[in-house]
């Protein structure tokens, strides 16, 4: 079943942003251009959940019944189905802890976990995080699969620069306690569909979040050589390319921009 999403792009675009360990820009091209975000918005959702937990508004150890049915922008329920369900996700009604939902949102890119957490924390909380980080191209305006929201022109967008800044904040930014940061890092390191990491040499530490729908394919990763020059954060966004070509462009950029870290 087709998941309501952005219209397919009509032009080929490629953007990237590379940061050093302190968050300074080392290389950028079209880095502020907005792209349909696909699953990369799950990073912003994760930050909102972690922020709410640290402020005592959520208990990450609390359990909720798993669900794949959510409330759309029109107030009506919609249900995720087909290829957009994770076959390993708990059955509806089975208990799942919030911390497990947060991890699955990132490492398995679970749409069920994402929508359940976004409903719980609220899109306003995600917008607050976007504002606090000073992200200029990021909008998280709807749940995944909400056709009513899409019909109203609501979307989820971000840029390579915003993705790189978001990853930098998750990995090294202020305001996250050690235990909540560890949850984020563990999920990023367990990413099941890495792109940039596919060309890293053995021994390089990494964590990432990819995202894709027809016509869009993105990845943002932190990479770190324990014996080398320190952390780098690379975000690459593509539009108008087939999956194989997009992956080839992303990995070619990673090889060019991360000398000594790729195989």
């Amino acid at each position: 079943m087709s998941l309501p999403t952005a219209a397919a792009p009509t032009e080929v675009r490629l953007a990237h942003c590379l940061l050093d360990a302190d968050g300074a820009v080392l290389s950028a091209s079209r880095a502020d251009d907005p792209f349909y975000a696909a699953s990369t918005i799950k990073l912003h959702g994760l930050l909102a959940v972690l922020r709410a937990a640290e402020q005592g508004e959520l208990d990450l150890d609390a359990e909720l019944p798993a669900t794949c049915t959510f409330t759309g922008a029109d107030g009506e329920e919609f249900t995720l189905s087909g290829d957009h369900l994770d076959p390993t996700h708990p059955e509806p009604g089975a208990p799942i802890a919030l911390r497990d939902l947060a991890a699955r949102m990132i490492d398995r890119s679970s749409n069920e976990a994402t929508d359940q957490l976004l409903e719980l924390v609220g899109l306003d909380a995600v917008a607050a995080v976007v504002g606090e980080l000073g992200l200029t191209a990021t909008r998280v305006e709807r749940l995944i699969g909400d056709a009513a929201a899409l019909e109203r022109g609501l979307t989820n967008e971000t840029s390579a620069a915003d993705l790189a800044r978001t990853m930098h904040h998750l990995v090294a930014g202020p305001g996250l306690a050690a235990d909540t940061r560890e949850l984020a890092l563990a999920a990023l390191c367990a990413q099941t569909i890495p792109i940039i990491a596919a060309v890293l040499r053995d021994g390089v530490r990494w964590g990432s979040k990819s995202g894709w729908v027809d016509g869009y394919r993105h990845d943002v990763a932190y990479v770190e050589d324990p014996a080398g020059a320190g952390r780098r954060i690379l975000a690459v966004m593509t539009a108008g390319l087939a999956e194989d070509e997009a992956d080839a462009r992303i990995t070619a950029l990673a090889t060019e921009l991360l000398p000594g870290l790729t195989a």
Side-chain angles (χ1 to χ4, degrees):
M1 178 176 293
S2 177
L3 187 70
T5 189
T10 58
E11 63 174 329
V12 173
R13 291 191 293 146
L14 182 71
H16 80 268
C17 184
L18 176 69
L19 305 181
D20 68 12
D22 296 320
V25 176
L26 297 175
S27 176
S29 175
R30 303 187 71 169
D32 294 317
D33 287 6
F35 286 71
Y36 181 69
S39 287
T40 63
I41 61 104
K42 294 168 183 175
L43 292 178
H44 309 105
L46 177 63
L47 270 174
V49 168
L50 298 181
R51 183 70 54 84
E54 293 198 338
Q55 292 174 347
E57 297 168 2
L58 291 180
D59 177 0
L60 293 177
D61 292 316
E63 292 185 340
L64 292 175
T67 185
C68 56
T69 297
F70 309 98
T71 303
D74 58 358
E76 300 295 325
E77 289 187 344
F78 68 93
T79 300
L80 298 177
S81 61
D83 291 343
H84 308 291
L85 296 177
D86 175 4
T88 74
H89 202 70
E91 291 294 323
I96 185 168
L98 296 188
R99 68 172 59 252
D100 293 332
L101 285 170
R104 296 181 74 89
M105 174 170 65
I106 301 302
D107 61 21
R108 300 192 62 83
S109 205
S110 166
N111 293 331
E112 305 99 302
T114 300
D115 279 358
Q116 187 160 12
L117 288 172
L118 289 181
E119 275 202 338
L120 185 64
V121 76
L123 293 176
D124 286 346
V126 183
V129 165
V130 168
E132 289 169 16
L133 295 185
L135 307 181
T136 58
T138 301
R139 299 188 291 159
V140 182
E141 298 176 338
R142 64 176 180 85
L143 302 187
I144 295 169
D146 183 359
L150 191 64
E151 290 173 358
R152 297 181 183 194
L154 302 176
T155 190
N156 297 324
E157 290 184 338
T158 192
S159 67
D162 283 4
L163 281 181
R165 293 187 192 110
T166 303
M167 181 65 83
H168 179 263
H169 186 80
L170 277 166
V171 174
L176 285 180
D179 58 341
T180 50
R181 193 186 304 279
E182 183 57 34
L183 186 159
L185 292 177
L188 293 165
C189 293
Q191 162 77 268
T192 57
I193 307 178
I195 304 174
I196 293 169
V199 293
L200 297 178
R201 64 173 176 76
D202 290 345
V204 174
R205 290 197 291 251
W206 63 273
S208 70
K209 183 71 197 81
S210 56
W212 64 95
V213 296
D214 287 347
Y216 294 95
R217 194 156 171 92
H218 319 309
D219 197 22
V220 56
Y222 76 86
V223 298
E224 190 171 13
D225 183 355
R231 185 184 307 115
R232 296 288 184 266
I233 294 172
L234 176 61
V236 186
M237 307 193 78
T238 76
L241 297 172
E243 180 180 315
D244 289 349
E245 187 176 359
D247 284 1
R249 295 280 194 100
I250 293 170
T251 54
L253 259 178
T255 301
E256 174 188 345
L257 296 172
L258 302 170
L261 296 173
T262 56

